[in-house]
Amino acid sequence: MGASEANAVNKKGKRTPGGGESSSSERGHFIREIIAEDVRAGKNDGRVRTRFPPEPNGYLHIGHAKAICLSFGMAQEFGGLCNLRFDDTNPCTEEEQYVETIKEDVRWLGFDWEGPELYASDYFEQMHEYAVRLIKAGKAYVDSLSAEQISEYRGSWTQPGRNSPYRDRSVEENLELFERMRAGEFEDGEHVLRAKIAMTSPNQNLRDPVMYRILHAAHHRTGDRWCIYPTYDWAHGLEDSIEGITHSLCTLEFENHRPLYDWFLDQLGVHHPQQIEFARLNLTNTVMSKRKLLELVREGCVSRWDDPRLPTLRGLRRRGYTPEAIRAFCERIGVAKTKSVVEMALLEHCLRQDLNRRAPRRMGVLRPLRAVVENYPEGQVEELEAINNPEDAGAGTRKVPFSRELYIEREDFMENPPGKFYRLAPGREVRLRYAYFVRCVDVVKDRETGEVVELRCTYDPDTRGGDAPDGRKVKATLHWVSAPHALDAEVRLYDHLMLDEESEAPAEETDWKARLSPDSLQVLRGCKVEPGLAGAEPGWRCQLERQGYFCVDPDSSEENLVLNRTVTLKDTWARIQKAQKK
Ligand code: ATP
Ligand code: MG
């Protein structure tokens, strides 16, 4: 294993910070080293060909992004190519609609493939031919045990398996039965084709695994042409071999299957890709299993596959994530062989770093409190100059209107402030960003509830632009918008989808939905934003000063501006790292 594992992982797969301090500069990881060495040694004539093989039975998520960045990234880096191949060997769960969205998502992430996408189903004929070859060589046989019997005969970790009574059928009988299986003469489950390896192997995957099963089901691409379908174990290595893949990068659960893939390829004497396994990405505070994601969508716990709370690429995109931030995250977490759980805070940190550089700044008030500047002339409007992005001088400036009636953030005012509250309070002066110093001189309350509904203020005309000529200081700078000019907006605030990380055995967890966070979505209506946001297109991003990064949602219309908060400004990653170091 490479010494440069970016995740300071621990053996038990416990929560770990992911992306240690040094990792951003360490570009090496064990897979990169293996490929570099192969290229140096002239293996495969120095050629690098990888693949990303999604099953078209769901949407891609951030975990797939790790696999995509790795396989496409390695191909790019070594001047090779990466195939996008749909692993569509199971007619029962796969759907055409997923194919298009997966292609779109891979492209959105910033990767492309040469020529059309590939399909495992295009190799069905070739796989069948290979199977016949194995039967002829006495390396495969038709078994007529039921599925339950097969699993009973397989034994267990502690028990060796037993031979099926059909194991010694003659080659001729096997060929004939297999032909009749293909011709549709049998019902589902009547027979299977199995590899003849060893029922006593300590690796259960080698105990005569099933290669073909009878399934009278239509396939989304081959229609009714087939009623026998290859199992994943039989098909997967062949797909890589047929495509001339040199490095087949896959997740750890396939490690125990590698000896089987090797066996098939050796028996057939065909091109032998090198399979290298790496640990899946696990993230805190979310779920990534397809089953769970599907359940959330089906049961209406989230709106759809692109719900901004989901870790699907569609969800992240709608939330306002950039492909650059996701790629930076994938580079940062690195690749290792040890299981680990990466903090969501690291993903958010990578996002902030990207958006900080390029998101224009705007002002918007999420929970408005009206403030009237009593000494500002009624009807007067000034256009004040505001900086678009302090991180990017090229982003220039814009004008924001200032007038007698403003909105400020309700939480920026306290009638009886405690010691550490430095923002607005009765009698106190603060700076309004890019505008003037204002002082609160009075409050107006709702007669019945006693709630503060309006502030009365005065401004100092000599502080235009935000500084006092007499050098007097204020302790706070607030964002604001001019009330008559403000646009109404609906703002959707998000928090983590799940309260804590997935348990160690996510598949067995029964009550996982009890961990759904009750605060994952909060909708605020009647928010006020500066007029420059009028007409902002879905997908447009900005930072609302002091409130976070936001992105215009596809639900947005001219009448109703809808903003998703992509992420807050508070970076918890640095704090987590500090705590980890202690
Ligand atoms: P399943 O096979 O159970 O339907 P899957 O998540 O493996 O689910 P695939 O469509 O088979 O989905 O995934 C395509 C590729 O993405 C696989 O090669 C898999 O190894 C990789 N992948 C899936 N989840 C992750 C993850 N969390 N981290 C890294 N790679 C992943
Ligand atoms: Mg899979």
Side-chain angles (χ1 to χ4, degrees), residues 312-327:
T312 53
L313 294 184
R314 309 232 129 192
L316 294 171
R317 177 178 178 177
R318 183 166 174 187
R319 173 90 167 248
Y321 270 79
T322 62
E324 290 84 354
I326 296 175
R327 293 202 304 265

Side-chain angles (χ1 to χ4, degrees), residues 365-370 407-410 525-528:
V365 172
L366 302 190
R367 296 170 183 87
L369 175 60
R370 178 178 287 269
Y407 289 115
I408 66 159
E409 205 68 61
R410 187 166 278 278
R525 297 203 170 79
C527 308
K528 304 286 181 182

Side-chain angles (χ1 to χ4, degrees), residues 53-55 57 64 87 232 251 253-254 280 290:
E55 214 178 310
N57 64 353
H64 293 114
D87 213 327
Y232 191 88
T251 36
E253 68 272 24
F254 297 105
R280 276 181 176 254
K290 277 185 192 161

